[in-house]
C-alpha cells in the first residue's frame, strides 16, 4: 500500500462544480443537499482519521428521498467522470498520483477512482474527495460494494494510513520438483502493533489478493535476472541481490519497506539454495 497526500480540494467546491451545469429542476434538488454533503464529508474525515469508517452506518441510505439519492449518485457518474463534465477536472486531479501506480496494490496503473465507502450505499459521499481513492480497475472491482462492519474489516486508506515505515510484507522462495522456484508472499505484522491495525493490514492483503498479484511478477523478475546471476560467482550474486534490495526506493510513496520487489530481493538474498543453484531453474 502506498500513502498519498490528503486531497486539498474541499467537498463543497467539488460538489458545487459538479452540479453547476445540471438542469434547473435537478440543480435545485441538489443545491438543497449541499450542506448535507458537507456535513457528511466532515463526519467521514473525522471517522477516517480514527480508522472508524464502520461507525458511519447512520449515513447509509441517506438522504431518505430516493430521487435525492439517485441524483447524488449521478453527480459522480454523469457530472464528474465524463471528459466534458463540469467536475472532470477534479476527477483527473484526484487520479493524478506519482507514476500512476495504484496505491492499493502498489503495482498496477491507476485507471479510476474507488469509493472507499461505496456511492450506492453512501450517496452523500459520492463526490467527497477524501472518499475517492485512485485505483486500478482490478482493485476497484475486487473491493466492490463491501462495507466494513468492524474496525478490523477496514482496508487501508491511502490518505489516512501510513504502514510503510515498518515491514509487514514478507516473501519466501519455494522449491518444487519439475517447475521453476516460485515466491509466496505473506503478512507478518511487527510485534507490538495494535491488533486492529494488524488485522486491517491482513484484510487489505487478502481483499486485494496481493499474494496472487505479486507471486507471478516475482517469478518474472527471477527469470529476468537468471542470466546475470549465471555470470557471477556466489559472492557476486550475494552482493547483487543485497545491492538491488537496497537500491529500491523505500519512501512512503513507493510502498516503503513493503515494496514487493524489495521484499523479493530480501527473500532471494536469504535463500542459500537459490543463490547456489536454484536461480538456474528460474
Ligand atoms: Zn490496484
Amino acid at each position: 500500500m502506498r500513502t498519498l497526500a490528503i486531497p486539498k480540494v474541499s467537498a463543497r467546491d467539488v460538489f458545487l462544480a459538479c452540479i453547476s451545469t445540471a438542469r434547473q429542476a435537478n440543480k435545485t434538488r441538489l443545491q438543497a443537499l449541499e450542506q448535507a454533503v458537507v456535513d457528511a464529508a466532515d463526519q467521514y474525515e473525522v471517522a477516517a482519521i480514527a480508522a472508524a469508517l464502520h461507525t458511519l452506518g447512520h449515513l447509509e441510505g441517506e438522504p431518505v428521498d430516493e430521487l435525492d439519492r439517485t441524483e447524488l449518485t449521478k453527480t459522480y457518474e454523469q457530472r464528474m467522470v465524463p471528459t466534458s463534465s463540469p467536475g472532470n477536472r477534479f476527477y483527473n486531479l484526484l487520479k493524478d498520483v506519482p507514476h500512476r501506480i495504484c496505491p492499493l496494490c502498489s503495482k498496477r496503473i491507476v485507471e479510476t477512482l474507488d469509493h472507499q465507502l461505496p456511492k450506492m450505499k453512501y450517496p452523500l459521499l459520492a463526490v467527497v474527495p477524501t472518499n475517492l481513492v485512485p485505483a486500478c480497475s482490478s482493485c476497484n472491482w475486487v473491493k466492490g460494494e463491501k462495507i466494513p462492519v468492524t474496525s478490523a474489516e477496514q482496508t487501508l486508506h491511502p490518505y489516512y494510513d501510513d504502514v510503510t515505515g515498518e515491514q509487514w510484507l514478507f516473501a519466501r522462495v519455494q522449491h518444487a520438483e519439475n517447475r521453476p522456484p516460485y515466491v509466496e508472499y505473506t503478512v507478518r505484522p511487527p510485534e507490538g502493533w495494535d491488533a486492529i491495525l494488524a488485522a486491517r493490514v491482513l484484510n487489505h492483503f487478502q481483499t486485494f489478493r496481493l499474494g496472487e498479484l505479486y507471486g507471478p511478477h516475482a517469478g518474472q523478475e527471477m527469470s529476468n535476472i537468471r542470466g546475470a546471476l549465471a555470470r557471477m560467482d556466489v559472492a557476486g550474486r550475494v552482493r547483487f541481490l543485497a545491492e538491488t534490495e537496497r537500491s529500491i526506493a523505500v519512501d512512503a510513496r513507493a510502498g516503503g519497506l513493503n515494496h514487493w520487489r524489495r521484499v523479493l530481493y530480501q527473500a532471494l538474498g536469504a535463500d542459500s539454495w537459490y543463490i547456489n543453484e536454484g536461480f538456474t531453474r528460474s
Side-chain angles (χ1 to χ4, degrees), residues 111-175:
E111 289 169 288
T112 187
L113 295 177
D114 178 63
H115 288 78
Q116 187 81 9
L117 289 180
K119 63 183 180 306
M120 297 306 286
K121 292 177 179 165
Y122 292 85
L124 288 170
L125 299 171
V127 297
V128 168
T130 46
N131 190 43
L132 297 173
V133 175
C136 68
S137 298
S138 294
C139 285
N140 183 238
W141 182 79
V142 294
K143 183 161 156 283
E145 300 285 302
K146 281 191 199 118
I147 292 179
V149 178
T150 64
S151 311
E153 286 180 17
Q154 294 171 91
T155 52
L156 298 169
H157 197 316
Y159 297 142
Y160 297 98
D161 293 308
D162 185 353
V163 291
T164 57
E166 289 179 278
Q167 187 169 359
W168 48 266
L169 182 68
F170 291 85
R172 179 186 284 248
V173 181
Q174 302 287 357
H175 332 150

Side-chain angles (χ1 to χ4, degrees), residues 102 105 108 136 139:
C102 171
C105 63
R108 291 176 291 240
C136 68
C139 285

Side-chain angles (χ1 to χ4, degrees), residues 7-264:
K8 290 192 171 68
V9 286
S10 74
R12 190 188 302 275
D13 287 350
V14 174
F15 183 69
L16 291 177
C18 288
I19 70 171
S20 60
T21 57
R23 273 183 285 172
Q24 194 54 50
N26 294 336
K27 194 170 179 178
T28 304
R29 178 183 287 277
L30 287 162
Q31 281 171 330
L33 294 166
E34 176 187 338
Q35 195 54 46
V37 168
V38 172
D39 290 345
D42 290 344
Q43 291 178 48
Y44 175 92
E45 282 156 27
V46 170
I49 290 167
L53 293 182
H54 64 293
T55 64
L56 295 177
H58 58 284
L59 294 179
E60 193 177 337
E62 287 287 327
V64 289
D65 185 297
E66 190 181 341
L67 272 177
D68 283 352
R69 293 201 300 276
T70 303
E71 282 303 317
L72 285 168
T73 308
K74 278 161 60 178
T75 297
Y76 177 77
E77 292 163 350
Q78 298 181 7
R79 303 179 178 111
M80 189 171 186
V81 177
T83 309
S84 58
S85 64
N88 185 252
R89 66 190 168 97
F90 292 112
Y91 180 74
N92 288 330
L93 185 75
L94 292 168
K95 274 173 62 187
D96 185 21
V97 296
H99 311 297
R100 287 187 62 203
I101 294 178
C102 171
L104 300 173
C105 63
S106 304
K107 182 72 188 76
R108 291 176 291 240
I109 299 298
V110 167
E111 289 169 288
T112 187
L113 295 177
D114 178 63
H115 288 78
Q116 187 81 9
L117 289 180
K119 63 183 180 306
M120 297 306 286
K121 292 177 179 165
Y122 292 85
L124 288 170
L125 299 171
V127 297
V128 168
T130 46
N131 190 43
L132 297 173
V133 175
C136 68
S137 298
S138 294
C139 285
N140 183 238
W141 182 79
V142 294
K143 183 161 156 283
E145 300 285 302
K146 281 191 199 118
I147 292 179
V149 178
T150 64
S151 311
E153 286 180 17
Q154 294 171 91
T155 52
L156 298 169
H157 197 316
Y159 297 142
Y160 297 98
D161 293 308
D162 185 353
V163 291
T164 57
E166 289 179 278
Q167 187 169 359
W168 48 266
L169 182 68
F170 291 85
R172 179 186 284 248
V173 181
Q174 302 287 357
H175 332 150
E177 286 297 320
N178 303 321
R179 61 167 287 186
Y182 60 98
V183 170
E184 274 185 1
Y185 284 84
T186 51
V187 170
R188 212 165 63 227
E191 280 187 28
W193 255 27
D194 172 78
I196 290 172
L197 182 60
R200 291 181 62 214
V201 166
L202 181 60
N203 183 36
H204 189 94
F205 180 82
Q206 291 172 336
T207 297
F208 294 106
R209 304 174 187 169
L210 298 186
E212 293 168 46
L213 172 63
Y214 298 156
H217 285 286
Q220 288 172 17
E221 183 94 12
M222 290 157 73
S223 174
N224 289 344
I225 62 172
R226 183 185 57 225
L229 293 178
R231 290 191 291 275
M232 302 172 194
D233 59 13
V234 171
R237 286 174 215 141
V238 169
R239 201 162 49 242
F240 172 81
L241 295 171
E243 283 173 3
T244 308
E245 179 195 332
R246 273 197 301 276
S247 73
I248 294 168
V250 292
D251 66 34
R253 290 187 174 195
L257 296 173
N258 303 291
H259 190 296
W260 70 273
R261 281 186 70 233
R262 194 195 84 84
V263 171
L264 166 65

